Amino acid sequence: MTSAPQSAAPRSPDATEPPAAPQRLGASGVWTGAALVVVLIVAVVLTGLWHLSQGTSGMGAWDLFRGLLGADVRVGGVSATDIFSGSRLPRLAAGVVVGLALGVAGCLLQSVTRNQLASPDTLAVTAGAYFALTVVAAFGISVPVLASSGVAFVGGLLAAAVVLGLTGRTSGSGTTRLILAGSAVAMALDAGTTMLLILFKEQTTGLFAWGSGSLGQLDVTAASRALPVVVLVLILAVLGSRRLDVLGLGEDAATSLGVPVRSTRWLAIVAAVILAATSVTLAGPIAFVGLGAPVVARLLASKVSALRRHAFLLPVSGLLGALIILLADAVVRGLLGAEGATAIPTGIPTSLLGGVLIVVLALRMRDATAAPSTGAAGSPAGGSKSVPGRRRFVLVALIVAAALLVCLVVAMLAGSLWLRLRDIVLWFQGAAPSLIDYALDDRFARVAAATLAGAALGLSGTVVQSTVRNPLAEPGLLGITAGAGLGAVYVISTGFLGGGQGAMVAMAVAAGLVTFGLIAVLAWRGGMLPDRFVLVGIGVGYALSALTTYLLLSNDPWQTPRIMTWLSGTTYGKALIDVAPVAICLLIAVPLLFLLRRDLDLMAVDEDTPRILGLRPQRTRLSLLILAALLAAVAVVAVGTVGFVGLVAPHLARGLVGARHARIMPVSMMLGALLVLIADTLGRTLIAPSQLPAGAMIALVGAPYFVYLIRKAR
């Protein structure tokens, strides 16, 4: 994938003429673009007719057609007219409106960021809108239907502002930074949404399934209200298309041609968020249509020159979005039948499509690891260039170790039943009363799980950030989290190997490692380049998360809170046997990585230095990432899927003790243990006897720190 240039074509230093504005299309170009729009409209109409022929009533296309012409055709006492107006037309209308809105929104966002991977999903607009609507539902705030679009708009706009404010001018080498920032902000918002769904089960009933995107409508009223908004925004965007065309030349060129860059950018972003918020309010967060439709339109631009102008690119992206949604919905219903497809929200097949699309685009991209904007892991952007001395390392290590020891003691004392230090002494002596003995047995296993899993995640994150040379990367990019979640949910939903805890953990680890192998194979094409590996990992993760959501929705609904809690990360119900794999892996990995500390130092510099000094970067990177994957996999055994720890702990350690891995690794392990332990302790004490997932607590705390990291690294 090649990103659009950040500025106009280079000119000689003495050139004085202003950059040329985009030339107007000739008559043949206009007619070609208009013909393409007509062809897409016909395709949407034909697909819509196929879509209308499907439904749970079992009424076929011919019977429906006869009924609409006035024949008395009934199924189960319901007339064809009622089936058409009450079920099939509303679903079709929702698909067209949502697809049109998301396609145009994605096109606008890609144009103003000059980045093919920008979309309402990757910029966290969808996650922000969904979170805002969940907050309203959870706290029982009564909001009229029309006002709910405003709520979604505010949430989406704030999320997009955070992501774009952090990443700045995101083009070229900023692709990875944009996707990491958007994914992390979306992860934090999703964690907040998950926590609300768990805490307010009764008030948010049905929101989880709706959160995967659903075209099911009570009537056509909602779509008829949303359509004028979408059409109006599209018309205004087309009227301003000339500005977007000039903006594609670069900010300096656009300014010299009289285009107000800042206002154009923010008007386009506001328009995109209005469209995305309208879509979320109507059908929930349907993923990746806003990514796929404009990308396909831009690929067609190599054949149809008219698509190089936004006057045609915008409506074509919208029509492609409508076509993608209708095809996804109709194909699933055609393959599984209308009854079988009811358990699969439309957002699931589109998420699969989006994940595959990110992988394809990542495989086409040229690596940007040498770009200064990425920030080498060895010397984080914005960090201090001085090398801390040994005395500082010892002091930091002692302070962190002391803090960890204090937190260990507090974690043993805290809970629904607060204990005293004397109770711990009696427990060690085997003389504690039965109630205290039971409480401390349970807490000891949970404390051990949190501490060792946090240490494993901190060490894994250190290796990942160094080998891919990106301080904003984390172990989740290895696919362990997404693969483990899919494996665990598969065991629970199918009863595979008995469906017990042991089978769930074994399948989670196996699926996580297989996913890592898949990502490594895909990213190996032309050498395992760091930025490509990151984007392939994100794409595979999105696709597997869609499959996980499908299994979760098709499972017994009474199991949903249990699965969501595990996917959010928790130590609840852990025994010492769950901690053993983590302890064994750490005993093996720590000395091995300490021996490889010089290789880690070299890999964090650039691609050429290790090769000059006799290392093979691709082979060394793969070996180190395998160790990181094993550490992340065994952490899943102990605490489920937990994010942010492998991101925050290594970065904190690097800022405190410098870039040498002999110092980073022990401090990162202790900081990782500290983070998970604090999150777990707070999760089981803040609203005791109810409990909050440790992973959700970490995400809520880790997101602000991640915001700070990206802001500092700009």
Side-chain angles (χ1 to χ4, degrees), residues 108 243 262-272:
L108 288 171
R243 288 188 178 187
R262 185 181 296 273
S263 62
T264 299
R265 175 181 290 116
W266 279 106
L267 284 173
I269 291 172
V270 169

Side-chain angles (χ1 to χ4, degrees), residues 380-405:
S384 175
K385 300 297 180 182
S386 60
V387 179
R390 179 179 177 83
R391 179 177 299 177
R392 178 173 176 177
F393 163 66
V394 173
L395 180 62
V396 168
L398 289 175
I399 292 174
V400 175
L404 180 58
L405 180 61

Side-chain angles (χ1 to χ4, degrees), residues 309-404:
R309 299 292 179 265
H310 283 81
F312 288 101
L313 183 64
L314 287 166
V316 165
S317 296
L319 290 171
L320 284 171
L323 191 60
I324 288 172
I325 284 190
L326 294 182
L327 280 174
D329 197 43
V331 168
V332 171
R333 290 157 73 93
L335 291 175
L336 302 180
E339 291 288 349
T342 54
I344 306 179
T346 308
I348 291 179
T350 58
S351 292
L352 282 171
L353 173 66
V356 172
L357 187 60
I358 286 182
V359 172
V360 171
L361 293 176
L363 295 180
R364 297 181 59 204
M365 76 178 294
R366 294 190 302 175
D367 196 60
T369 54
S373 64
T374 301
S379 108
S384 175
K385 300 297 180 182
S386 60
V387 179
R390 179 179 177 83
R391 179 177 299 177
R392 178 173 176 177
F393 163 66
V394 173
L395 180 62
V396 168
L398 289 175
I399 292 174
V400 175
L404 180 58

Side-chain angles (χ1 to χ4, degrees), residues 120-121 123-132 155-156 159 182 185-187 189-190 193 280 285:
D121 307 291
L123 294 184
V125 175
T126 304
Y130 183 29
F131 175 74
V185 172
M187 187 188 303
L189 291 170
D190 288 341
T193 301
V280 171

Side-chain angles (χ1 to χ4, degrees), residues 139-235:
F139 292 100
I141 303 174
S142 179
V143 176
V145 175
L146 292 178
S148 61
S149 295
V151 173
F153 169 76
V154 172
L157 183 62
L158 290 176
V162 169
V163 175
L164 293 174
L166 294 175
T167 54
R169 300 175 185 180
T170 51
S171 63
S173 63
T175 294
T176 306
R177 183 181 303 278
L178 175 75
I179 303 305
L180 283 170
S183 298
V185 172
M187 187 188 303
L189 291 170
D190 288 341
T193 301
T194 299
M195 191 174 292
L196 291 174
L197 293 177
I198 293 173
L199 292 177
F200 301 93
K201 296 187 290 292
E202 297 178 0
Q203 294 90 333
T204 59
T205 301
L207 271 182
F208 181 77
W210 178 82
S212 298
S214 174
L215 296 181
Q217 304 290 315
L218 295 177
D219 53 43
V220 80
T221 303
S224 62
R225 289 174 176 172
L227 181 60
V229 176
V230 174
V231 172
L232 177 61
V233 173
L234 174 58
I235 292 173

